Amino acid sequence: MKFVRIFYSVVFVLFSSSICRAQDPQFSQFYNAPLYLNPAYAGTGNNTRAVLNYRNQWPGVTKPVAYVTMAASFDHNIESINSGVGFLLLRDRQGKGNLSTTEISGIYSYQFDISRKWSFRPGVQAGLVIRDIDYSKLVFGDQINENGPTGDLTNDQIVGAGNNIYPDISAGGVLFSNNAWFGVSTHHLNRPNQAFAEPRLPLPIKYSFQTGIRLPVGKQSVKKGYSEMSKERSLVPTLLYKSQGKFDQLDVGMYFINEPVMVGIWYRGLPIKNYAGYANNESIIFMAGLNYQRLSFCYSFDLTLSALSINNTRGAHEISLIYEWNIPYKNRKNARPLPCPSFYKNKSINLDKMEK
């Protein structure tokens, strides 16, 4: 029956939205959205970096309404003062009611060199969030009968405005060497109220831990004219743990980088914990990317493992574009980028090692 299908679709979307929106939007390619992952990552690329991210989640469930998250970021390393600065724009839209969130943030980080091998980089982020909803596109209980939506106006009283603006403060830090890193970030430290009306709905603090290690695999060199250049070839195991409110999640997997190609696979879930009686097995993530000069393109697909099934959700699709300007560092001592997954390592680091 058409009404039954509509009813269960509405219940499912509301239920899944309540769970997902208890957590922040997420990117499967989390290291391709570095400023969103941790403000300490500002200024840790190949000197200057621009990133675009696009994610379409569960198009089979939300069709014809998109459940889309987009982000754009720009960051730069200020070599003279060991600092990084960044700008992040995030836009998230979900549901037929066009519930959307737009965030604009500024980010600052500073690098301390603990030893010749290890550095520590803390970062802070301050942003302004605009959250709005179109009540006219929602369907209330008195607008549905046994045949489905009636098209009549609702008699339910709508309380509160359809928008909310609030500040958002986050912070993080990362300890790293040339081949390993350990990062921690905390978002929404000020617990902003995201409700459109009373009672208040404070946004839970999101805690995140990221770590990984870069393992060189053999040697690869390419001749260019009379010189010989080394190219990146490595395995990069990574782990990301997130906790927000009552929910937590683990992403664990590995990249294989053979410049100019990168591929990866991850498992997302936390099977030792159950939510509402269901095992926390969410998805297997596959990623592939290609680099041309300083432009990188990556695509990933989330294969749903949960009870929702891949036939219903159609998975999730994600695209990232990254451009890094080839601006040489004047002082190689300050030229230690994080060894997070990328298509190539900073060549100034390689030259520094050769001089030693």
Side-chain angles (χ1 to χ4, degrees):
M1 182 183 293
K2 183 178 179 181
F3 168 67
V4 174
R5 291 197 302 269
I6 293 175
F7 175 80
Y8 280 110
S9 296
V10 170
V11 170
F12 172 76
V13 171
L14 289 176
F15 176 75
S16 62
S17 297
S18 66
I19 291 178
C20 293
R21 288 309 157 198
Q23 295 177 307
D24 286 5
Q26 65 180 346
F27 289 104
S28 294
Q29 300 177 38
F30 41 90
Y31 285 117
N32 286 342
L35 272 62
Y36 181 69
L37 178 63
N38 189 334
Y41 292 161
T44 59
N46 202 41
N47 206 317
T48 304
R49 171 177 56 192
V51 180
L52 294 175
N53 307 103
Y54 171 86
R55 177 178 177 84
N56 187 349
Q57 171 122 356
W58 298 347
V61 173
T62 58
K63 186 179 180 180
V65 181
Y67 181 11
V68 169
T69 304
M70 297 175 286
S73 66
F74 177 87
D75 65 310
H76 174 70
N77 180 68
I78 306 176
E79 183 182 356
S80 59
I81 56 174
N82 292 349
S83 300
V85 293
F87 169 82
L88 173 66
L89 174 63
L90 179 75
R91 173 72 172 175
D92 180 64
R93 184 165 65 89
Q94 61 164 315
K96 189 175 180 181
N98 279 349
L99 175 62
S100 62
T101 303
T102 303
E103 180 173 3
I104 302 173
S105 300
I107 302 171
Y108 173 79
S109 68
Y110 184 86
Q111 181 170 314
F112 299 91
D113 291 326
I114 300 174
S115 67
R116 294 184 61 183
K117 291 186 177 181
W118 290 92
S119 296
F120 177 67
R121 197 175 191 110
V124 293
Q125 176 179 349
L128 188 68
V129 179
I130 304 171
R131 195 164 184 258
D132 55 75
I133 188 171
D134 187 350
Y135 288 114
S136 67
K137 295 183 179 180
L138 296 177
V139 177
F140 295 87
D142 62 349
Q143 295 176 293
I144 302 176
N145 60 25
E146 64 277 6
N147 297 316
T150 63
D152 298 334
L153 296 176
T154 180
N155 293 318
D156 289 346
Q157 183 178 4
I158 298 175
V159 179
N163 60 75
N164 185 13
I165 302 175
Y166 53 84
D168 195 11
I169 306 297
S170 304
V174 59
L175 176 69
F176 64 101
S177 67
N178 285 336
N179 295 304
W181 71 95
F182 305 88
V184 176
S185 58
T186 53
H187 290 80
H188 321 305
L189 289 171
N190 56 324
R191 297 293 311 277
N193 174 35
Q194 59 176 345
F196 297 110
E198 294 296 335
R200 289 174 53 85
L201 183 63
L203 186 60
I205 296 176
K206 180 178 70 175
Y207 301 94
S208 171
F209 171 73
Q210 321 98 38
T211 186
I213 185 170
R214 202 175 193 114
L215 305 172
V217 179
K219 293 183 178 180
Q220 181 180 212
S221 59
V222 177
K223 288 186 176 180
K224 190 172 182 180
Y226 294 100
S227 62
E228 188 171 319
M229 299 178 60
S230 64
K231 301 192 77 173
E232 175 75 7
R233 179 185 286 173
S234 59
L235 287 173
V236 190
T238 64
L239 180 148
L240 170 64
Y241 173 76
K242 294 179 293 185
S243 175
Q244 187 173 18
K246 297 181 180 180
F247 305 98
D248 54 359
Q249 183 174 275
L250 178 70
D251 289 31
V252 59
M254 181 179 297
Y255 295 84
F256 174 64
I257 303 169
N258 190 22
E259 187 183 348
V261 175
M262 176 193 291
V263 294
I265 182 170
W266 296 267
Y267 165 78
R268 174 181 292 150
L270 204 58
I272 62 174
K273 298 186 69 174
N274 291 336
Y275 292 119
Y278 293 94
N280 184 8
N281 290 307
E282 183 178 307
S283 57
I284 296 290
I285 302 161
F286 303 92
M287 193 208 78
L290 182 67
N291 170 259
Y292 176 73
Q293 295 180 354
R294 293 282 158 172
L295 179 65
S296 302
F297 170 83
C298 293
Y299 168 78
S300 63
F301 176 74
D302 295 13
L303 178 65
T304 306
L305 298 178
S306 69
L308 298 178
S309 84
I310 186 64
N311 291 332
N312 291 323
T313 66
R314 299 293 189 268
H317 305 268
E318 196 168 303
I319 295 172
S320 296
L321 285 174
I322 306 167
Y323 186 82
E324 298 195 61
W325 280 262
N326 188 16
I327 303 174
Y329 287 93
K330 296 178 181 179
N331 184 355
R332 293 192 185 100
K333 182 182 72 171
N334 298 327
R336 177 187 288 165
L338 268 83
C340 299
S342 63
F343 290 90
Y344 49 83
K345 297 188 73 174
N346 190 300
K347 297 302 187 287
S348 61
I349 293 297
N350 296 334
L351 291 172
D352 191 36
K353 290 182 178 178
M354 290 173 63
E355 289 181 353
K356 293 179 180 179

